[in-house]
Structure formats: C-alpha cells, structure tokens
Amino acid sequence: MGVIASAPAKIILFGEHFVVHGEPALVLAIDKRVHAKAEFRDDARLFFKSVNLNLSGFFEDEKFEIEGVNGGRTVKDARSKLEPLKLIAKKILEIYGEKVGLSIEINSMVPVAAGLGSSAAVATAVTAAISALLNIKLTNQDIFQISYEAEKVVHGTPSGVDPAISTFGGTLLFQADTGFKPIDVPVDLPLIVGCTGVERSTGVQVAKVRALKEKYPQVIRYVLKSGREIVITALSALQKGDLKVLGDLMNINHALLYGLGVSDESLESLITAARKEGALGAKLTGAGGGGCMIALAEDEKINPVLEVLQKRGGTPFLARKTDEGVKIEGK
Ligand code: PMV
C-alpha cells in the first residue's frame, strides 16, 4: 500500500533573480504536476526512482548505490540528484522517530532544469507523500520549510519562491523578508511557455548575477529597483486583467534580465519570434541561461505564437494557472 502526492510546477511572471536580492516577485502555479508515490520497504533502505530522469538508487546509512544503468550517469552525479530527497526522507523519519525503509517513485510532467520549478515540485510532492504514508500531519507551512531546506542543497541560495508556489499553489506575491501573499487574479492568463531544451543550473545563473552586483553595486541597485516597480505595476494590471500592460512589463523585465547576462541565444530566438508573431510581451522565466520563456498573447494570436515557437526548435505549450498546491492524490 502506498501514498501518491502531487505538486505543481510554476511560472515566474515577474521578478526572478531580483527576488534573490530581497525584491518582490510574482509567481503562479501551472497545470503541470509532479507525482510522487511513497511505499514501505521490507528493509531499512531509502530507495528513490525518477522515471523521467531514468535515475534510481538506494541510500543505506551514509552509503549510496545506484540501481540499473541510470542513463549513463556516474554514481556521484546520480547521488547528487537524489541527495535532497534523502534529506527530506531523513527529516520526516526523525519526526516519525523510527527507522523504516521507504521506496519513492517520481513521475513528472515538468521539463527538468528549465525554470519551471521542477526540483521544488519534486521536493514538495515527496515531502507530502512520505509524511502521509507515515501518518504525520504536516501543515503546508511545514511542507514548505522541509522542501526549502532540500532546495538549498540543490541551488545554494534560493529565495524560497519555488517551494512556496509548489506548496500553496495559486498566484503569489513573494518577497524573502515578508514571505508570500496570495493574489486574486480574476482573469484567465493565456500564457504560452516555450522551452529551449537547453538545460542549465539555477545556482550558476544566480552566482552570475551576484558577481555582477558585487562588481557594479550602484548600477545593479537601480536595476533591482526597476524590478520592484515592474512587480508593483504588474500587480495592479493583473488584478484589472490588463493584458496589454502586462505584456509591456514582460518586455521591460526581460530587457533587465538580458542586461544581467542571464538570457542566451536559444531564449532570444524564441522571445523575438513570439513578439514578431504578435505576442503582447515575452520574457525568459526562471533562472535563464536556457530553460524556458513565456509569452502573453490575445486569443487569436495563441496558435500562431505556439506554431512559430515550434518552428524555431522550441517545445511550446499553453499553461493554465492552477489554485491547487501540493495535495494527496490517493492512498
Ligand atoms: O529556474 P528556477 O525554476 O530554478 O527559478 C529560479 C528563480 C531565481 O529567482 C533565479 C532563483 C530563486 O531562488 O528565486
């Protein structure tokens, strides 16, 4: 008998990177989910399998062993990918107070290392599945905290925005010092996501921006300030459903991110194509350096934009916002 939990991916509408430096960001959960199934084992090992990554292995005390071919990865690489999940399991087992073996299987609809928060969605789904299997009642705040600790292992100094949106769902205004505030968005936001297929590390992109900030503190101070104003202006446009203003702000936000050096050719190609095809605005989403971009378009332009992104070699899809955060799917 097992427990299945799921958690949503996310799109950062405005404010990625600036959020790491204390500015606000606007983020929404989308209808692409990660599913994690937790089951008891007969032995005391912790077994993790990611179906999409073709990755699996056992942890036993401090030892790690891979199972199967693991997509040609080294033991070290496979271990580093699964380590955050082991930390989650250990943390929950600590609360449980007994050493039991667990098998966790992860199935995901979310492209990996693409700026859509796949690792945070995995972390929150795994946290929810294990705690439910062990009959431990965790609040959403607890799930967020445990997943956030795991995210720190993956990304170095994450802002916490990814585990927050995966846990709570909906649309959030997030700021590191004040936390997150749910935002009511009364309109449907027809967001087109275009993934470049270029994998990148969030940690590397965040470090790049940090280095630039250290080198040019005065210049970057104003870039961050602009980022804040974009979020504030976007907030009222979102509440009014003013897509035109949101599109303009996406373009300005992207220009700032480009200036910070976190765009790349693959993103620029898709962003330019979407704008030419009539999108109201387009920008990278998440850490950049590859990964995905988003475009906002009026209904009649959605299909042409999807088509042009495909033609340019991207993997496009239409994302719908979802209010559903992490949840138990079944026992
Ligand atoms: O690309 P993702 O999904 O890892 O999002 C990263 C968002 C950043 O603002 C760049 C980093 C963060 O921790 O907020």
Side-chain angles (χ1 to χ4, degrees), residues 311-330:
K311 253 194 239 153
R312 287 286 181 102
T315 309
F317 62 91
L318 192 62
R320 300 261 164 227
K321 65 180 159 62
T322 176
D323 286 334
E324 278 188 336
V326 66
K327 65 170 187 177
I328 300 300
E329 296 278 352

Side-chain angles (χ1 to χ4, degrees), residues 6 18 38 59 101 180 199 233 284 292 323:
S6 77
F18 313 138
F59 289 91
F180 30 85
E199 286 195 19
T233 314
L284 69 82
C292 303
D323 286 334

Side-chain angles (χ1 to χ4, degrees), residues 7-297:
K10 65 94 189 22
I11 283 176
I12 299 184
L13 275 179
F14 299 101
E16 53 273 271
H17 284 290
F18 313 138
V19 72
V20 177
H21 303 276
E23 302 300 343
L26 266 169
V27 56
L28 57 87
I30 57 167
D31 55 351
K32 289 241 180 257
R33 301 183 77 86
V34 164
H35 288 79
K37 181 175 185 187
E39 290 172 300
F40 287 112
R41 296 178 58 82
D42 292 335
D43 56 28
R45 299 200 282 182
L46 297 173
F47 173 70
F48 297 95
K49 176 175 184 165
S50 163
V51 174
N52 307 72
L53 292 183
N54 186 15
L55 179 69
S56 55
F58 295 97
F59 289 91
E60 192 167 13
D61 299 319
E62 285 321 300
K63 282 201 308 265
F64 174 74
E65 224 178 278
I66 54 175
E67 192 214 46
V69 289
N70 273 284
R73 285 184 183 80
T74 61
V75 174
K76 193 167 165 233
D77 185 40
R79 179 178 188 143
S80 73
K81 291 219 157 39
L82 296 175
E83 190 78 23
L85 304 183
K86 179 196 84 173
L87 292 182
I88 288 174
K90 288 239 157 166
K91 177 84 205 162
I92 302 171
L93 286 172
E94 229 173 79
I95 303 170
Y96 189 58
E98 221 181 290
K99 195 172 168 188
V100 293
L102 299 169
S103 283
I104 317 295
E105 183 174 302
I106 296 143
N107 278 282
S108 175
M109 304 159 72
V110 187
V112 176
L116 301 179
S118 121
S119 66
V122 169
T124 47
V126 167
T127 305
I130 297 178
S131 56
L133 182 75
L134 300 175
N135 267 323
I136 296 173
K137 296 236 169 321
L138 293 183
T139 61
N140 272 352
Q141 186 61 32
D142 298 330
I143 293 178
F144 162 68
Q145 277 303 342
I146 293 172
S147 319
Y148 186 24
E149 291 308 313
E151 279 283 282
K152 287 184 189 164
V153 177
V154 190
H155 294 323
T157 52
S159 61
V161 66
D162 283 16
I165 192 70
S166 265
T167 303
F168 295 97
T171 305
L172 298 178
L173 176 68
F174 180 90
Q175 193 168 321
D177 59 351
T178 49
F180 30 85
K181 189 169 154 238
I183 304 293
D184 193 23
V185 180
V187 286
D188 185 32
L189 272 188
L191 276 173
I192 298 151
V193 182
C195 294
T196 62
V198 176
E199 286 195 19
R200 81 290 177 279
S201 140
T202 297
V204 169
Q205 300 303 319
V206 168
K208 231 195 248 181
V209 175
R210 192 179 298 286
L212 211 58
K213 187 179 170 215
E214 275 162 21
K215 195 165 173 195
Y216 306 105
Q218 280 303 83
V219 177
I220 303 302
R221 193 155 75 95
Y222 289 102
V223 175
L224 296 177
K225 232 173 130 133
S226 295
R228 162 175 294 269
E229 291 306 321
I230 288 172
V231 168
I232 293 168
T233 314
L235 196 53
S236 79
L238 258 184
Q239 283 160 338
K240 284 188 214 135
D242 192 334
L243 300 191
K244 175 86 186 58
V245 170
L246 290 170
D248 288 345
L249 294 171
M250 280 166 76
N251 290 335
I252 302 171
N253 193 154
H254 182 73
L256 296 179
L257 291 167
Y258 182 92
L260 293 175
V262 294
S263 190
D264 78 340
E265 271 175 33
S266 65
L267 285 164
E268 289 307 310
S269 158
L270 299 187
I271 289 167
T272 312
R275 287 179 187 154
K276 272 198 184 148
E277 207 55 48
L280 295 167
K283 65 182 275 292
L284 69 82
T285 187
C292 303
M293 49 72 74
I294 52 172
L296 187 63

